[in-house]
Amino acid sequence: MESTQGKDYEMQFKKILDRGKISELTSLLNNLGKKEKFNQNVKWIIIKFKGIVHLHIGNYQTAIKNLNSAIEYYKKADENFQCIDCIISRGEAYHFLDKYDLVLEEINRTQELLTKIPRKSVNSKILKAKLYKLKGRYFSVKGQLEDALTILIRSQNLYKELDNIFALAKTQNLIAETYCGIGNSERARELLAMAVDNFMLLGNKKMLGRTLNNLGILETQSGDYDNSIQNFKLATQMSREAGDKYGYATTLINMGYTYLEIGEFEKARKYFKNGIKKEKKIGVQFAIAEAFNNLGDLERSEGNFKKAIKFYKKSINKFKSIKAGSAYFDSLSGLILTFLDKKDIKHVNEYINELENLFETYQTLKIKNSLKITKAYYYKHKNDPESSNTAKKLFKEVFEEKEVDFKKQVFCIINYCEITVKHYDINKNINDIDEIKNLTVELIKRANKAFSFRILAHSYMILGHIYSIQQRFEEAKECFIKAKLISENKGLKLIKKSINLYFNNEPLDNYSNIQNLTITNLKKELSQMILINR
């Protein structure tokens, strides 16, 4: 049985954690750990919470080390509740390290051990709520978003019943993320607003900052860049006031992504590098590895292939050094695509084989789609008709997949269209332009649904070119006007610049400019769209 002293300390630690006072809790745990008069229960509560603190700040390997020790003690002491609680926390650490086979083991282990806890007890409800949250994360990475949503809502309902506002608000963040995945951004925004209110009620500036960061990510995905930057600025303010160095660094990097999205590469680079600098200071190796991947994406978007390769390799090596499972698959995919862009295929097959091995080991939908995309991109660059058809087939499989993220859909559709246009022959492939037009119209629908105004503006430009080739000049003009208005209203500098280049800064009702557009211009525009959406 747990001692009263142990329970008192655990309650004290939880209250500090719920307020987001990580530095205060860390200091308290370190000071208490130096004392020798505590009984075993208190000693292991301290070790357990040290693991939880490391989990919160992103030191996942250290978290696992502490939790392993606590689990072994609680097993021997027959403390089922504490043992299960630590197992679930360890499962969360494995999740962040992309070790999904171990996450599943922890889920199964927890379900088995839960039979030892009285079914209708408060402890049972607490553990089930935590388990459902972990299962929701697992279903999400496996691409089972509807299952994830169902199980996360069960977790949310239990936390409401338990009146655990802190855990409720954290779960609302996860549910919002899942709604984003299935394309319901409005519901996601509502959940994040609820979480903001709950963290404000608790006075938890740390988690308030992290939730505002999530809201900023949502607004970026929705194309509301001004609100996105505003939320990120509020998030950095909350993170600074809470002493949340990890949250602060993460938000800086997300701001970088927003500036990358609107084509302000220098600002993006500045925020990425500042974020990495902060992360290096706090020694969060996993986040540093992710940030190197971000810089790889940035340099690739600008066509700086040598720099992109350098950053992708740094990211991969960092992930491997901390034994982060499959987490480096995104960096590996970026590396392969960059080598292909650079027309340097010497090591491509070796890297594709490595990506195939990752998929064989981890079997996640994200890796599966990344593998298909890299293979399609490889076949596309072989340039022969048979390889081009294979590439189109693979790209089509991905963009027709129901539960694939929007960015991958876009990348696959525009690459499919580019291959089609490249092999276009007006005497033989008369239906190809109609197919590209239909896919562009579909892309416009998806961009509207995802509130992605950059993709929306660029898609209208593509459609304008198609209508011009079909000599439907009035419709072409309307598309270009829509593209220009969106680019002006949303500050999309690259797209606005591209429109002005086509029309020599003359009014868009100048039909002679539209009439002069050819299939060559369409090819160039698709290539430009691929460049921006690498």
Side-chain angles (χ1 to χ4, degrees):
M1 294 289 291
E2 287 185 68
S3 69
T4 304
Q5 189 182 30
K7 286 183 178 179
D8 289 344
Y9 272 111
E10 183 165 25
M11 190 174 293
Q12 182 186 355
F13 299 157
K14 280 181 178 176
K15 284 181 180 178
I16 298 170
L17 191 65
D18 285 359
R19 296 200 313 273
K21 305 289 186 181
I22 298 296
S23 297
E24 181 185 329
L25 182 55
T26 302
S27 178
L28 177 61
L29 291 169
N30 289 338
N31 289 333
L32 288 172
K34 293 173 185 176
K35 297 183 179 181
E36 297 179 0
K37 294 182 180 179
F38 288 123
N39 61 35
Q40 287 293 301
N41 278 314
V42 176
K43 174 188 171 182
W44 289 103
I45 288 291
I46 291 169
I47 291 171
K48 169 189 168 181
F49 270 87
K50 281 185 176 180
I52 291 170
V53 165
H54 284 295
L55 179 61
H56 273 259
I57 62 175
N59 290 333
Y60 304 121
Q61 296 289 1
T62 308
I64 290 167
K65 185 179 176 182
N66 281 296
L67 291 166
N68 282 345
S69 299
I71 289 165
E72 286 307 309
Y73 168 75
Y74 287 126
K75 275 183 184 176
K76 291 174 184 176
D78 204 26
E79 291 282 0
N80 292 319
F81 174 82
Q82 293 291 0
C83 182
I84 297 169
D85 199 25
C86 290
I87 288 170
I88 295 171
S89 294
R90 187 171 64 182
E92 287 185 34
Y94 287 141
H95 166 82
F96 289 116
L97 290 171
D98 285 1
K99 295 186 176 182
Y100 303 121
D101 53 337
L102 295 178
V103 175
L104 184 58
E105 284 181 19
E106 301 295 50
I107 289 169
N108 292 334
R109 189 175 288 120
T110 298
Q111 288 177 159
E112 185 180 336
L113 289 171
L114 266 172
T115 58
K116 298 181 179 181
I117 305 291
R119 189 180 171 195
K120 294 185 179 180
S121 66
V122 171
N123 279 350
S124 177
K125 290 177 182 178
I126 291 169
L127 294 173
K128 281 179 181 176
K130 290 183 176 183
L131 173 63
Y132 294 155
K133 190 166 70 171
L134 182 60
K135 284 181 79 173
R137 288 184 189 274
Y138 178 77
F139 285 139
S140 182
V141 297
K142 289 294 181 180
Q144 299 167 240
L145 298 183
E146 294 293 345
D147 291 334
L149 193 59
T150 300
I151 203 80
L152 286 170
I153 289 171
R154 287 170 70 184
S155 176
Q156 175 188 241
N157 292 340
L158 278 172
Y159 282 129
K160 282 180 182 176
E161 189 179 332
L162 292 162
D163 199 27
N164 188 333
I165 297 173
F166 175 73
L168 171 63
K170 284 189 74 176
T171 307
Q172 285 166 338
N173 268 275
L174 287 174
I175 296 172
E177 185 181 325
T178 310
Y179 272 119
C180 277
I182 61 175
N184 192 339
S185 57
E186 285 306 309
R187 184 62 183 143
R189 194 174 281 106
E190 289 171 9
L191 265 296
L192 289 173
M194 291 179 200
V196 165
D197 289 342
N198 282 326
F199 285 128
M200 286 180 71
L201 183 66
L202 291 168
N204 188 326
K205 290 185 178 181
K206 170 181 170 281
M207 289 308 301
L208 179 57
R210 293 196 181 189
T211 304
L212 288 167
N213 171 68
N214 290 341
L215 198 51
I217 293 170
L218 174 62
E219 300 297 7
T220 296
Q221 292 171 344
S222 300
D224 196 344
Y225 304 116
D226 290 339
N227 269 340
S228 174
I229 296 295
Q230 187 61 33
N231 278 312
F232 284 140
K233 286 180 177 178
L234 285 171
T236 56
Q237 181 186 333
M238 292 298 106
S239 297
R240 279 199 302 267
E241 290 178 12
D244 182 17
K245 295 177 182 178
Y246 176 69
Y248 181 69
T250 301
T251 302
L252 290 177
I253 286 169
N254 286 328
M255 284 179 79
Y257 252 124
T258 301
Y259 283 117
L260 176 60
E261 184 79 5
I262 59 179
E264 295 194 29
F265 295 123
E266 282 309 310
K267 280 188 179 180
R269 188 176 283 105
K270 171 189 164 187
Y271 279 103
F272 282 149
K273 289 190 173 180
N274 198 5
I276 289 174
K277 187 178 176 182
K278 302 290 183 189
E279 285 172 339
K280 281 183 175 178
K281 280 186 178 180
I282 56 177
V284 183
Q285 302 302 314
F286 191 92
I288 293 168
E290 285 186 320
F292 281 138
N293 180 55
N294 295 339
L295 275 169
D297 290 343
L298 169 61
E299 298 298 350
R300 184 168 172 253
S301 293
E302 284 204 278
N304 299 326
F305 300 137
K306 285 186 179 179
K307 286 184 178 180
I309 287 167
K310 181 185 79 171
F311 284 122
Y312 284 134
K313 284 184 174 180
K314 276 189 171 185
S315 176
I316 291 165
N317 291 336
K318 181 65 72 176
F319 276 127
K320 287 181 175 179
S321 72
I322 59 174
K323 297 180 173 60
S326 67
Y328 71 94
F329 82 90
D330 214 17
S331 306
L332 182 58
S333 178
L335 181 65
I336 296 167
L337 299 183
T338 307
F339 273 122
L340 290 168
D341 286 331
K342 192 171 175 278
K343 296 181 170 54
D344 179 356
I345 61 170
K346 189 165 69 171
H347 301 295
V348 165
N349 283 325
E350 173 191 339
Y351 290 126
I352 288 177
N353 288 339
E354 187 173 353
L355 192 55
E356 283 180 330
N357 291 335
L358 274 180
F359 175 63
E360 287 299 319
T361 304
Y362 294 97
Q363 296 284 317
T364 70
L365 184 63
K366 286 183 178 180
I367 301 177
K368 178 184 177 182
N369 286 327
S370 285
L371 179 59
K372 282 186 178 181
I373 289 169
T374 51
K375 282 186 171 182
Y377 210 62
Y378 169 73
Y379 284 118
K380 173 187 164 182
H381 280 73
K382 291 185 80 171
N383 287 322
D384 62 272
E386 185 179 347
S387 296
S388 294
N389 287 333
T390 303
K392 285 177 70 175
K393 178 177 176 290
L394 288 168
F395 281 131
K396 192 172 186 178
E397 283 177 9
V398 177
F399 72 68
E400 287 184 343
E401 176 80 47
K402 283 185 178 179
E403 293 180 332
V404 63
D405 69 75
F406 177 67
K407 285 188 176 181
K408 282 188 172 59
Q409 288 177 349
V410 171
F411 186 76
C412 291
I413 288 173
I414 57 181
N415 271 280
Y416 181 96
C417 290
E418 189 194 39
I419 296 168
T420 305
V421 169
K422 186 175 181 180
H423 296 280
Y424 176 71
D425 183 335
I426 194 166
N427 296 314
K428 296 179 182 178
N429 312 106
I430 195 165
N431 294 323
D432 283 356
I433 289 295
D434 277 333
E435 183 185 21
I436 296 168
K437 184 194 75 177
N438 293 337
L439 280 171
T440 306
V441 170
E442 177 61 29
L443 197 54
I444 287 169
K445 288 178 185 175
R446 295 187 189 193
N448 268 314
K449 187 178 179 182
F451 296 95
S452 179
F453 294 102
R454 179 170 59 81
I455 302 300
L456 188 61
H458 225 145
S459 299
Y460 275 121
M461 286 184 69
I462 299 293
L463 192 57
H465 281 79
I466 293 167
Y467 282 140
S468 176
I469 291 163
Q470 293 179 329
Q471 298 189 351
R472 296 162 65 177
F473 300 121
E474 185 64 35
E475 289 162 290
K477 184 186 78 170
E478 287 176 8
C479 288
F480 285 120
I481 289 172
K482 285 179 181 178
K484 187 175 182 181
L485 287 173
I486 294 165
S487 64
E488 287 174 345
N489 290 337
K490 296 298 177 180
L492 304 172
K493 295 181 180 179
L494 285 178
I495 296 175
K496 185 180 175 183
K497 183 180 176 182
S498 183
I499 294 171
N500 288 336
L501 281 173
Y502 277 118
F503 296 96
N504 302 316
N505 294 308
E506 294 178 17
L508 291 182
D509 57 4
N510 186 335
Y511 276 92
S512 62
N513 287 320
I514 296 175
Q515 288 168 349
N516 289 332
L517 294 174
T518 65
I519 195 75
T520 303
N521 297 112
L522 178 58
K523 288 178 184 177
K524 286 180 180 177
E525 195 56 45
L526 281 165
S527 296
Q528 177 66 16
M529 195 172 181
I530 289 168
L531 179 69
I532 294 173
N533 290 282
R534 291 180 198 269

